[in-house]
Amino acid sequence: MNNHKFTNSLINETSPYLLQHAHNPVDWHAWNNEALALAKKENKLLLISIGYSSCHWCHVMEHECFEDEGVAAVMNQNFINIKVDREERPDVDQVYMNAIQLMTGRGGWPLNCIALPDGRPIWGGTYVPKGNWIQVLNQLSSMFIEKPEEVIDYAVKLTEGIKNTDLISLNTNKKEFTVSELENVVDEWKQHMDFDLGGRKGAPKFPMPNNYLFLLRYAFQANNKELLDYVNTSLTNMAYGGIYDQIGGGFSRYSVDKKWHVPHFEKMLYDNGQLVSLYSEAYLATKNKLYKNIVYETLQFIENELTSNEGAFYSSLDADSINLKGKLEEGAFYVWTKNELKAILKGDFQLFSEYYNVNYYGFWEHDNYVLIRKNSDEEIAKNNAIAILELETKVASWKKLLLKERSKKERPRLDDKALTSWNALMLKGYIDAYKVFNEPHFLEVAINNARFIYTKQIQEDGSLNHSYKNGKSIINGFLEDYGAVIEAYISLFEVTSNEFWLNVAKQLTDYSLDHFFDEKRKMFYFTSNKDADLITRKMEIEDNVMPASNSIMANNLFKLSFYFSNNYFFETSKQMLQNVENRIVSYGSGYSNWLQLMCNFSGDFYQIAVLGKASKNNILEINKNYIPNKIIAASTKKSTIPLMKNRFVETKNLIYVCVDGTCQLPIENVEEALNKLKINF
């Protein structure tokens, strides 16, 4: 390990990832105006190295290359070296990830790009072993000195390519969205679905929460049993897999195999926030007890491991931790040997090993097992002739015992910065869990976090900041921050009826339209018009593990259009969907959040206004039902929100059911109101 013989300027940063490199012999700079100006002044190539704190291969390359004094000498002599935390600067990451994908056809982290002093890229790669790395650096620095025209010419062409990807043009071909269009998308998608194990066919397997949220909804609305079975297969196997921490709760990033078994062991806030929302919704739709357990255990994990005393959520836990030999090893904290388990569990080992497959099925490598389930509690209880309740009691005691034992190990490193967008995804997870399970504690945590974002991350001019660490709010926010916070605040209004949150959501939307929106293309840029220019200004269109910031904003505008009777919001939302429509049909899994919006336009979409002293109880009753095609507004007094304005009657409890802006006569009975709601297309 480093002996702090060296210190570079990263020592002044707050990002844990950047601080991890503060004692490298490489003369690292953070991405800032000073470093970029220095490259131009000295006419040196930029070496831009992008990663994140829980990235296994980032640590490997650091150890092999960036801690090596010989490698550092080459880097320091010929380059201005810039380290970027992709979680802090997703804008920089997007541009150079795009570049590397154009150059090599693939991308990943660590992401290493060599660029001209003005930032235009000329070479890109991911993990590069030490020998190759030195070779690449020497070749590129020589080429820049000997043939600068060729290098610049290549950079010009590549930058043009980067500018053209993901730029959406206005689609003026206006037409209505239909259910048959949704059907075509799903039929095309089915070819890639693994109906046996869930997820996408083959390996690796990523839990893509938004895909299943859409498919769950579509399966219900289209009455498609085959698709509902697929969603349940996926969610069950994810919950049974090693990708889920069977002892401590919470999900890892993805599994390297096709049975959701061996994960890359890092645990990210954005995965867990969205998966809590997914499993809550899935429980509401199916009443599957397994899904409820997953939600409760995952939120317990978030509370234990990723929550600050200010109510903020930390970013991630590393994949690597120190093993018994004192070496950093991936998964060391989470795996078990058979002998360890026998010693801890004693007489229960046999039953435990059947339950968690301490056998060929759960074996990983080096005598280590990654716990994985295969059978339901009912099947295990029946096979072993014990009562379900007895088995459940045993499982709970095993988890407690192993959690205690595991806590004696060296813990994985924590990335303790709080990112606004990821916090909002976790906030929405808590809100969705509260909505479904009516657990007051979940709402308490949610309100705490919503206040943290409001008081620490929203600035005096109405803008949002992206990151928070050690009491410092930094980095002007990106569209993902605005989109995720607006969405979470709308959801918080729906469960609390506190109009403050809805009004803040509206203010942030107005700010986004002023500073991120391209009026000509009717799409949002990822960066604000107040930010310093990168080599190009990107638009985020495709839904990935996190939905695209444009799809989140389009959904937000759709909902807000009904709350505020705002036709501009409605038409903008529709136009944004039309702009990407031609991309959706052939690649549904990359546009699932857009497809949620398409469902809203294709079938009936309900606005429910609940007024009167009993509105809180009436909302609870309505929320016991899976109704994906609705928004709710409620008030116990007169309201100025357009959806509820002039509808409050002092002595009555009234429920207005509106469809696409047209309202029926008010009803006083929840059951009667529910009967007016049609989920199916």
Side-chain angles (χ1 to χ4, degrees), residues 166 168 479-480 483 516-518 522-526 538-543 547-557 572-573 576-577 579-580 593-594 597:
D166 281 347
I168 291 283
L479 188 65
E480 66 175 43
F516 292 82
F517 196 58
D518 183 330
K522 299 289 183 198
M523 275 318 212
F524 289 87
Y525 287 106
F526 188 73
K538 304 292 288 175
M539 288 178 173
E540 191 181 44
I541 306 302
E542 226 172 84
D543 295 324
S549 41
N550 264 296
S551 72
I552 299 175
M553 284 305 295
N555 275 286
N556 290 339
L557 287 167
T572 303
S573 169
M576 288 173 76
L577 181 58
N579 289 346
V580 298
N593 201 39
W594 291 105
L597 185 57

Side-chain angles (χ1 to χ4, degrees), residues 496-556:
T496 61
S497 309
N498 183 345
E499 292 174 15
F500 172 79
W501 300 114
L502 187 64
N503 286 319
V504 176
K506 166 77 163 58
Q507 287 157 19
L508 289 170
T509 303
D510 292 339
Y511 185 94
S512 308
L513 286 162
D514 287 344
H515 296 284
F516 292 82
F517 196 58
D518 183 330
E519 196 60 61
K520 196 166 86 233
R521 289 193 168 91
K522 299 289 183 198
M523 275 318 212
F524 289 87
Y525 287 106
F526 188 73
T527 49
S528 159
N529 58 9
K530 290 185 161 186
D531 285 328
D533 288 345
L534 299 176
I535 57 169
T536 183
R537 202 172 173 203
K538 304 292 288 175
M539 288 178 173
E540 191 181 44
I541 306 302
E542 226 172 84
D543 295 324
N544 202 306
V545 62
M546 278 168 63
S549 41
N550 264 296
S551 72
I552 299 175
M553 284 305 295
N555 275 286
N556 290 339

Side-chain angles (χ1 to χ4, degrees), residues 367-498:
D367 295 334
N368 288 323
Y369 291 83
V370 176
L371 303 183
I372 180 171
R373 292 180 60 187
K374 211 176 178 180
N375 302 100
S376 68
D377 285 3
E378 288 73 16
E379 289 166 318
I380 299 267
K382 194 177 168 194
N383 287 350
N384 291 276
I386 59 171
I388 276 277
L389 199 59
E390 190 188 340
L391 178 64
E392 286 174 352
T393 308
K394 276 188 182 294
V395 171
S397 73
W398 295 337
K399 287 181 178 180
K400 215 171 167 180
L401 195 57
L402 289 176
L403 199 59
K404 191 180 170 193
E405 202 57 40
R406 191 169 85 177
S407 68
K408 297 172 187 171
K409 294 184 185 181
E410 184 90 24
R411 306 182 78 74
R413 289 185 289 198
L414 168 72
D415 187 322
D416 60 352
K417 66 179 180 294
L419 298 171
T420 303
S421 48
W422 298 11
N423 268 253
L425 292 174
M426 193 68 243
L427 166 57
K428 187 163 187 301
Y430 268 101
I431 296 164
D432 289 337
Y434 169 72
K435 186 181 75 183
V436 173
F437 302 110
N438 194 24
E439 190 75 63
H441 179 63
F442 295 165
L443 183 60
E444 200 182 297
V445 177
I447 289 172
N448 245 349
N449 182 257
R451 284 186 184 139
F452 159 76
I453 293 172
Y454 182 76
T455 56
K456 304 290 187 190
Q457 297 302 79
I458 296 183
Q459 306 303 298
E460 280 180 18
D461 65 352
S463 66
L464 262 175
N465 273 359
H466 176 63
S467 187
Y468 182 87
K469 171 110 194 285
N470 299 343
K472 275 165 68 176
S473 176
I474 56 168
I475 303 171
N476 194 23
F478 305 105
L479 188 65
E480 66 175 43
D481 298 305
Y482 289 85
V485 172
I486 293 162
E487 182 180 30
Y489 280 3
I490 293 170
S491 295
L492 189 54
F493 163 70
E494 287 193 287
V495 297
T496 61
S497 309
N498 183 345

Side-chain angles (χ1 to χ4, degrees), residues 48-52 55 57-58 86 93 96-98 100-101 104-113 124-127 254:
I48 303 157
S49 181
I50 306 174
Y52 56 102
C55 157
W57 287 102
C58 299
R86 69 172 291 254
D93 180 57
Y96 292 103
M97 176 59 78
N98 206 194
I100 196 174
Q101 284 168 336
T104 68
R106 58 202 171 84
W109 299 276
L111 192 164
N112 294 293
C113 245
T126 52
Y127 163 73
Y254 63 93

Side-chain angles (χ1 to χ4, degrees), residues 28 32 44 160 208 228 243 251 358 388 465 500 545 599:
W28 290 118
N32 55 38
K44 279 187 177 177
E160 203 48 47
M208 303 291 275
L228 185 58
I243 190 171
F251 288 86
V358 186
I388 276 277
N465 273 359
F500 172 79
V545 62
C599 286

Side-chain angles (χ1 to χ4, degrees), residues 570-637:
F570 182 83
E571 289 302 330
T572 303
S573 169
K574 194 173 188 180
Q575 182 63 61
M576 288 173 76
L577 181 58
Q578 270 161 345
N579 289 346
V580 298
E581 188 184 15
N582 59 348
R583 297 175 174 221
I584 294 175
V585 181
S586 56
Y587 186 33
S589 65
Y591 292 88
S592 54
N593 201 39
W594 291 105
L595 286 165
Q596 293 261 33
L597 185 57
M598 199 183 275
C599 286
N600 294 348
F601 280 112
S602 303
D604 288 339
F605 187 83
Y606 297 99
Q607 303 86 51
I608 305 169
V610 184
L611 296 127
K613 298 284 178 273
S615 63
K616 191 167 168 46
N617 281 340
N618 287 344
I619 284 183
L620 286 175
E621 283 307 306
I622 293 168
N623 281 340
K624 284 178 184 171
N625 303 271
Y626 179 65
I627 310 162
N629 51 332
K630 66 144 182 13
I631 55 166
I632 282 189
S635 186
T636 53
K637 54 184 192 294

Side-chain angles (χ1 to χ4, degrees), residues 337-352:
T337 65
K338 197 177 273 191
N339 288 339
E340 275 181 309
L341 292 168
K342 278 181 176 169
I344 298 163
L345 296 156
K346 302 184 172 59
D348 266 357
F349 174 75
Q350 212 44 52
L351 183 60
F352 178 93

